[in-house]
Amino acid sequence: MPQKELRVPAEVQTDAQATEILRLWTTPSGERVALDVDPTLDVGVGGIILVDLARHVARAYEGRASGTGMDNFQRIIASFVAELRQPTDTPTSS
C-alpha cells in the first residue's frame, strides 16, 4: 500500500454516481498512474480533465509557493508545453 493515501472528499462519499477515474503516485523511478476511462466518452474529454487538474494543482500551490493561482497555472502550462516538446519520460502500460 502507498505510504500516504489521500482521503476521499465528502462530496464524493455521498454521491452514488461518483466514479474514480485516476490515481497517481510519484516514486523515485517516476510517476505511476491507474486510469479507468469511460470508452463511451469522446477522447477529447481528456483535455478537459487535464486542464481541470492543472487548475486544482495551481490552487493547491497558492499560499504554499510564491505567486497567485493564475501565476501558478501559467507556470504549469509552460511546463506542460516544455514536456510536450521534450518529454522527460515515456509512459508505458502495465
Side-chain angles (χ1 to χ4, degrees), residues 2-82:
Q3 295 299 314
K4 180 180 177 188
E5 190 168 319
L6 300 175
R7 67 171 182 78
V8 176
E11 302 86 3
V12 172
Q13 292 177 14
T14 58
D15 187 341
Q17 294 183 324
T19 302
E20 184 174 31
I21 61 167
L22 171 83
R23 284 194 179 206
L24 172 73
W25 297 266
T26 185
T27 70
S29 61
E31 286 77 31
R32 300 294 177 254
V33 177
L35 289 171
D36 185 15
V37 297
D38 182 344
T40 65
L41 294 177
D42 184 285
V43 70
V45 170
I48 295 168
I49 292 169
L50 290 174
V51 171
D52 287 349
L53 183 58
R55 287 186 174 124
H56 284 287
V57 172
R59 277 192 227 114
Y61 272 97
E62 195 169 26
R64 295 183 190 180
S66 60
T68 65
M70 184 52 77
D71 293 334
N72 295 336
F73 183 71
Q74 293 301 327
R75 287 186 63 202
I76 291 167
I77 296 304
S79 178
F80 185 88
V81 170

